[in-house]
Amino acid sequence: MSKSQIDGETMSGRAAKPVRRLFWRLLITQMSLTALCMLAAGLFADRRAALAALCGGGISVIAQSWAGFRALLQPASSSPDNIMRAFYRSETGKLLVIAVLFAATFRFAPQISRGGTAGFLIIGFFVVQVISWWLLAYREARAASGQPPGGNDD
């Protein structure tokens, strides 16, 4: 029995560490973007707009977290079909989480759905979503061009 088998660590376990680090960095970035959206809405509008932007960004962070955790729970030694199935399930679940959280926000925080405040909810959500996608695409483009993707996660 090798040391890696005794420790419960496999090569796939070591290979998963950069993915986990990237996942946590992405979540921290999303939370930071949510805070920036909230501050900008509070500065340029009012407290209700800041709350709406916080809720919108929070919905994005919670949904991405759920999907990421579900995807990371899949053992790296699984077959490619199982990994893809888990990915599709986590993305479908993410869409359901988003729908439920938006519905709950409109139901239990009616001050957000009145006036122009709902726009800040949507803006907060999309800013966090789109910038996160852009950061991942940028990282992939750098890696594809032979440049280091940045950071210490590789």
Side-chain angles (χ1 to χ4, degrees):
M1 199 174 246
S2 71
K3 182 178 179 344
S4 64
Q5 289 172 325
I6 294 170
D7 293 341
E9 181 178 56
T10 63
M11 287 300 286
S12 60
R14 280 189 212 124
K17 285 182 183 181
V19 173
R20 286 189 183 106
R21 240 182 272 133
L22 176 63
F23 170 70
W24 285 108
R25 283 184 179 178
L26 185 60
L27 282 183
I28 290 167
T29 301
Q30 289 178 323
M31 287 185 266
S32 301
L33 287 169
T34 299
L36 285 173
C37 285
M38 180 188 71
L39 288 172
L43 287 173
F44 295 113
D46 59 9
R47 286 185 197 158
R48 286 187 322 165
L51 176 64
L54 175 65
C55 288
I59 289 170
S60 180
V61 171
I62 291 168
Q64 291 283 65
S65 300
W66 189 87
F69 283 125
R70 295 293 303 167
L72 288 176
L73 288 176
Q74 185 67 25
S77 60
S78 296
S79 72
D81 287 341
N82 287 342
I83 291 172
M84 284 307 295
R85 229 177 272 118
F87 173 76
Y88 285 128
R89 269 189 248 131
S90 70
E91 287 300 309
T92 302
K94 180 173 82 170
L95 293 175
L96 290 173
V97 167
I98 289 169
V100 166
L101 290 176
F102 268 112
T105 300
F106 283 120
R107 171 74 171 103
F108 297 112
Q111 70 273 21
I112 289 176
S113 61
R114 290 190 202 127
T117 314
F120 287 98
L121 175 77
I122 303 300
I123 289 169
F125 176 80
F126 279 108
V127 164
V128 173
Q129 272 302 116
V130 171
I131 290 180
S132 299
W133 292 335
W134 180 82
L135 287 172
L136 287 173
Y138 175 76
R139 184 178 189 281
E140 284 299 313
R142 284 184 57 94
S145 69
Q147 297 174 357
N152 296 325
D153 56 349
D154 295 322

